[in-house]
Amino acid sequence: MTLYARVVNSNEYMHSATVGKVTNEQIVYIFDNADVNLRATSGAPVINQQYELIGINLAGGELGNGKIIGFANPVQSIIDNLKK
């Protein structure tokens, strides 16, 4: 599965990523472009290939192998918590 995360401090607003893991609590993904700068991207939308909002970017950083990882809160988890 490929998704896209909006990176606001980049010349490109959408960056593709490959999903590594999905749980009820988080979506973990690896950016296809290892040069993505994730500064100030918390709260950015994460969308799927159909341009549907699937998560909100929470955090990210560099992996030891030169790749960039991202973490998002799934939209359904956010909705469920708002209902409580």
Side-chain angles (χ1 to χ4, degrees):
M1 173 192 255
T2 300
L3 56 82
Y4 302 92
R6 186 166 190 270
V7 179
V8 294
N9 58 341
S10 171
N11 291 335
E12 296 179 42
Y13 286 109
M14 303 293 284
H15 293 277
S16 63
T18 302
V19 174
K21 181 179 178 183
V22 177
T23 68
N24 290 335
E25 289 80 33
Q26 71 177 353
I27 302 169
V28 180
Y29 44 95
I30 306 294
F31 283 94
D32 297 335
N33 177 358
D35 295 327
V36 172
N37 180 349
L38 297 181
R39 278 188 67 207
T41 59
S42 294
V46 177
I47 60 174
N48 63 16
Q49 291 175 308
Q50 291 74 42
Y51 300 101
E52 300 166 322
L53 180 66
I54 62 166
I56 302 296
N57 187 58
L58 176 63
E62 294 181 34
L63 293 173
N65 59 5
K67 296 186 179 194
I68 305 294
I69 191 169
F71 301 92
N73 290 325
V75 169
Q76 192 58 54
S77 175
I78 295 168
I79 292 169
D80 293 346
N81 282 307
L82 288 172
K83 290 179 179 180
K84 291 181 181 180

